[in-house]
Amino acid sequence: HLHGNGTPDPGGPRRGSGSGLRRRISRVQAEELLARAGRDGSYLVRASESVAGAYALCLLFQRHVHTYRILPDAEGLLAVQVSRPQGRSDQCPPPYPTPLSFQKREAFCMLLQLMKTRHAKLGEPDLLSVFVGTWNMGSPPPRDLTSWVTCCGLGRTPDESTASLAHDVYALGTQENPQGEREWTEHLRTTLRGCTHLDYKQVAVQSLWNMRLVVLVKPEHEGRISHVNTASVKTGLGNTLGNKGAVGVSFHFNGTSFGFVNCHLSSGSEKVIRRNQNFVDILRLLSLGDKQLNAFDISLRFTHLFWCGDLNYRLDLDVQDILKHVSKREFEELMCADQLTRERQKNKAFLNFKEEKICFPPTYRYERGSRGCYLWQKYKTSGVRVNVPSWCDRVLWRTYPEAHLNCTSYGCTDDIFTSDHSPVFGTFQVGVSSLPGSKTGDTERARIELERLEAIVKTASKSKFFVEFHSACLEETRRSSENDSQSCDVPGFLKLGWSAKQLPKLLPVASDVDYLQDQHLLLSIKSCDGFESYGECCVALRSPSGPLEQFETFLSHRGEEMGTIRGHVKVHVPADYRRAARSKIYGWSTKATGPELSLCHHFLLNFRFQLTLFSCETLSASSICLLN
């Protein structure tokens, strides 16, 4: 049974134990539980007492419990039958976690109808749900890892009603993992099978010593995965030992590239600079993604890049002060002393990466066997070493400009005690694009035009420079002529310029608007002497056939900020291809607010839809929809 307001069942088993959804509960018990919850919008799903294979949704609204019986019909649809409380003649509210206005309910139902049609015609998703987890294990894991993969614990966690819904992609990184690849992968697949009743398919597994990265995907998406790559980098003891380093997996999902990195960086409170260098080495040396993008580090090779692991950044604060803040849940005050946060603010590490706000206690160093005590003193032959409680285990990400990514949860478990680290999880709603249609022939085709480019680059070189253009939508790499203007107004920086005639016209492989609006250009400024890159960036093509779009963005190279670049870009699309681009799920939903947005996303990510709407009169009153 599930609670819509996130309140656990006071008398039932702990969610995540594997028994909560299978326990029988009567209508009387359901009404008692909801009455105890005491909030409009609380709801509970239970097996029907009278109809085999059916379910009942009980909703607390205006202090009365309304019941919706969900019946399977001959076509496999789920028909919703409404029961009203005795003595009440007014219509029941719709089955939503909280009451919604008619306009929002109607928009929600229209979106489901749109999705039903889109799936029937295209069969391709616009939005994926991605789970990213990291855990320094240290010893054999417990048999039950349900709380980790269902994001149950502390921090920003999903609502109880949606926590066990299956994600499309699971990427699970571990450090100090004593299990072998095959044993560990099967352990994870068995856990997911128990939670989701799906047999997840392995995309890839990559290991470096006891470091593992396992990527699994829903069986229905297996055919959409291509271009799978794996790699590893050693950063321990002069970059020769694999006790520290990183493992990575990359792939394409239809027309969108994904990269996942799991790392274990140098330990010790005093080794901040070493950890920063570890990051740069991984960024530069991890060989993932398209080999034609070697001029770019991995932070620019993927539409969506997720980076997790035991990063080992510590809190620069006295241990007693840390414990005092933790006891009061004053995490924002502690973040001011977080080494990773400080290094990111100084652009010394994880340049242009993002991290969700941390609302959970430090995940290291706990006493094994419980989560009630931090064991911050470590006794060694060389003496006592202090390991202050810290957020060593993190999940960060970087995504192309204008690409959709929304973090939906970020937290840690509180019931897995076999390690001195708590497992950490993050979940994301991620926009994906379709593959291009048939390639354009010799007829009129779309083209990408750039007007004058101007760049400021950190260098003392007096060489001439050119711009190299890469994109998944281009048949080949193109480059400009050498710059036609150059000046040094600030010592150590060059101001470079290219006029329109120095810049190439870029021809995409397809002229379809749906395809082009999701594409990006990667730019690299290179020396005409040694062809060395002095800065790279990414530019979105979001307004095909619109006016000239001005862009201005930072240049970076090997994790360091190198300057800025600005210019104008326009995509010309032939008249035959100028039909309106179909709206994306996330394009629609970003304009919505309120509880229907979260519920809508969970529905869209986990179900195929068949939708029937009642008469207009009924729709305006309750907007009840039928879902497959």
Side-chain angles (χ1 to χ4, degrees):
H1 52 275
L2 308 171
H3 291 265
N5 66 345
T7 305
D9 173 6
R14 178 182 176 82
R15 191 193 63 74
S17 65
S19 60
L21 290 177
R22 291 194 291 270
R23 199 189 81 165
R24 289 283 178 177
I25 183 171
S26 68
R27 180 169 183 169
V28 173
Q29 289 174 307
E31 291 177 351
E32 288 177 353
L33 284 171
L34 288 171
R36 252 183 281 165
R39 283 174 50 188
D40 274 2
S42 301
Y43 65 91
L44 181 147
V45 178
R46 60 181 175 84
S48 174
E49 296 176 277
S50 55
V51 181
Y55 291 88
L57 185 152
C58 302
L59 171 67
L60 183 69
F61 183 67
Q62 294 181 354
R63 306 300 300 173
H64 292 272
V65 177
H66 307 263
T67 300
Y68 302 83
R69 183 177 293 164
I70 307 172
L71 305 170
D73 70 8
E75 297 180 7
L77 301 178
L78 296 178
V80 178
Q81 185 182 77
V82 181
S83 302
R84 294 186 179 86
Q86 190 172 6
R88 288 181 64 87
S89 58
D90 57 329
Q91 290 199 330
C92 289
Y96 295 119
T98 54
L100 306 175
S101 68
F102 161 67
Q103 290 84 359
K104 289 180 179 179
R105 294 197 305 265
E106 183 179 47
F108 177 60
C109 290
M110 288 176 65
L111 178 64
L112 295 180
Q113 178 65 64
L114 173 65
M115 280 305 302
K116 183 203 108 173
T117 305
R118 180 176 299 165
H119 276 290
K121 291 182 178 179
L122 300 174
E124 297 295 345
D126 289 338
L127 198 64
L128 291 183
S129 178
V130 177
F131 174 100
V132 180
T134 178
W135 183 25
N136 187 318
M137 296 168 63
S139 59
R143 185 174 182 180
D144 187 4
L145 297 174
T146 303
S147 60
W148 187 25
V149 298
T150 58
C151 305
C152 179
L154 306 173
R156 184 183 176 189
T157 59
D159 186 273
E160 288 281 325
S161 61
T162 57
S164 59
L165 294 179
H167 298 283
D168 295 288
V169 178
Y170 286 83
L172 301 112
T174 54
Q175 310 83 39
E176 300 184 22
N177 187 337
Q179 294 187 325
E181 280 188 357
R182 183 175 299 180
E183 181 186 8
W184 175 239
T185 302
E186 190 52 40
H187 192 157
L188 293 174
R189 293 184 66 206
T190 300
T191 298
L192 291 175
R193 196 179 298 119
C195 298
T196 67
H197 308 291
L198 293 174
D199 188 19
Y200 274 79
K201 302 301 180 182
Q202 177 181 310
V203 175
V205 180
Q206 180 66 11
S207 297
L208 176 66
W209 288 26
N210 289 336
M211 208 179 308
R212 309 261 186 277
L213 178 59
V214 179
V215 179
L216 305 170
V217 67
K218 271 185 179 179
E220 67 193 69
H221 297 319
E222 190 176 18
R224 300 182 174 106
I225 302 291
S226 63
H227 301 81
V228 178
N229 282 301
T230 60
S232 62
V233 169
K234 300 174 182 177
T235 63
L237 193 60
N239 291 354
T240 60
L241 294 183
N243 62 320
K244 296 294 189 287
V247 289
V249 172
S250 66
F251 59 86
H252 283 196
F253 187 100
N254 288 346
T256 301
S257 56
F258 284 83
F260 296 90
V261 177
N262 167 39
C263 73
H264 194 180
L265 306 185
S266 296
S267 62
S269 294
E270 72 284 359
K271 295 183 180 177
V272 177
I273 295 175
R274 178 60 183 161
R275 283 189 280 274
N276 292 350
Q277 187 59 49
N278 289 164
F279 166 74
V280 172
D281 290 341
I282 296 167
L283 201 67
R284 179 172 57 92
L285 299 174
L286 196 63
S287 182
L288 284 178
D290 189 346
K291 305 306 179 190
Q292 296 184 11
L293 299 180
N294 286 337
F296 302 86
D297 62 52
I298 59 170
S299 68
L300 282 172
R301 292 185 194 174
F302 308 103
T303 313
H304 306 290
L305 174 64
F306 298 93
W307 194 304
C308 69
D310 181 356
L311 276 56
N312 256 321
Y313 288 93
R314 308 302 174 91
L315 289 173
D316 285 331
L317 203 62
D318 179 77
V319 65
Q320 295 304 325
D321 290 333
I322 294 173
L323 295 174
K324 180 181 67 175
H325 286 301
V326 170
S327 66
K328 296 180 179 180
R329 300 188 64 81
E330 296 173 342
F331 301 137
E332 287 193 30
E333 288 82 350
L334 282 179
M335 288 306 296
C336 297
D338 176 59
Q339 291 176 347
L340 178 58
T341 300
R342 289 176 172 178
E343 296 306 296
R344 289 179 59 215
Q345 290 171 346
K346 294 185 291 186
N347 291 337
K348 297 294 185 180
F350 290 90
L351 179 68
N352 296 322
F353 278 76
K354 295 181 180 178
E355 182 182 21
E356 182 64 16
K357 181 181 178 181
I358 292 181
C359 302
F360 52 92
T363 54
Y364 174 80
R365 178 178 183 250
Y366 282 105
E367 181 179 10
R368 295 175 192 266
S370 75
R371 283 299 175 265
C373 177
Y374 286 104
L375 197 64
W376 49 272
Q377 290 179 315
K378 189 171 185 178
Y379 295 92
K380 307 183 75 173
T381 56
S382 57
V384 178
R385 180 171 179 175
V386 174
N387 288 294
V388 300
S390 299
W391 286 287
C392 293
D393 313 282
R394 313 286 273 265
V395 177
L396 300 98
W397 71 91
R398 181 171 177 176
T399 194
Y400 281 172
E402 305 297 332
H404 177 82
L405 188 149
N406 178 39
C407 182
T408 52
S409 71
Y410 191 32
C412 67
T413 65
D414 60 352
D415 62 351
I416 296 178
F417 309 140
T418 54
S419 170
D420 51 7
H421 291 253
S422 288
V424 168
F425 52 79
T427 58
F428 306 85
Q429 292 166 350
V430 180
V432 292
S433 59
S434 59
L435 291 166
S438 57
K439 290 188 177 182
T440 307
D442 294 329
T443 58
E444 187 182 4
R445 57 190 296 186
R447 65 186 188 277
I448 303 167
E449 294 185 357
L450 294 113
E451 222 175 54
R452 180 173 179 82
L453 287 180
E454 293 181 347
I456 298 175
V457 180
K458 182 171 27 173
T459 179
S461 170
K462 301 301 181 183
S463 170
K464 287 289 189 176
F465 294 82
F466 64 91
V467 184
E468 201 166 72
F469 299 91
H470 298 255
S471 178
C473 72
L474 300 179
E475 290 183 343
E476 59 183 1
T477 300
R478 299 293 306 277
R479 64 172 57 177
S480 72
S481 304
E482 64 181 36
N483 56 298
D484 57 359
S485 69
Q486 186 165 313
S487 61
C488 181
D489 301 329
V490 179
F493 288 86
L494 273 183
K495 184 176 182 180
L496 311 173
W498 293 264
S499 61
K501 66 180 182 179
Q502 265 83 45
L503 300 172
K505 288 182 173 59
L506 308 174
L507 300 178
V509 295
S511 298
D512 185 68
V513 171
D514 283 337
Y515 172 69
L516 290 174
Q517 71 172 355
D518 289 327
Q519 300 308 303
H520 295 81
L521 285 179
L522 295 177
L523 281 62
S524 176
I525 297 180
K526 291 189 171 182
S527 164
C528 292
D529 291 341
F531 300 102
E532 179 186 357
S533 178
Y534 281 71
E536 305 91 47
C537 72
C538 180
V539 176
L541 302 178
R542 293 297 296 171
S543 301
S545 299
L548 279 170
E549 285 282 323
Q550 183 174 359
F551 67 87
E552 183 168 5
T553 187
F554 289 102
L555 294 166
S556 64
H557 182 63
R558 295 182 177 177
E560 182 182 355
E561 197 171 291
M562 296 297 292
T564 61
I565 186 169
R566 65 181 180 181
H568 292 80
V569 63
K570 182 175 182 179
V571 182
H572 296 270
V573 179
D576 292 345
Y577 295 92
R578 289 181 188 168
R579 69 183 187 282
R582 65 185 177 91
S583 59
K584 302 284 187 181
I585 298 171
Y586 50 86
W588 179 90
S589 64
T590 51
K591 299 175 184 177
T593 57
E596 81 283 0
L597 174 58
S598 176
L599 184 64
C600 156
H601 276 167
H602 284 299
F603 278 158
L604 298 181
L605 291 168
N606 290 281
F607 296 96
R608 300 292 184 186
F609 297 98
Q610 294 290 340
L611 176 65
T612 304
L613 299 180
F614 294 114
S615 67
C616 292
E617 179 182 358
T618 310
L619 171 64
S620 63
S622 60
S623 298
I624 301 174
C625 59
L626 309 184
L627 301 176
N628 179 1

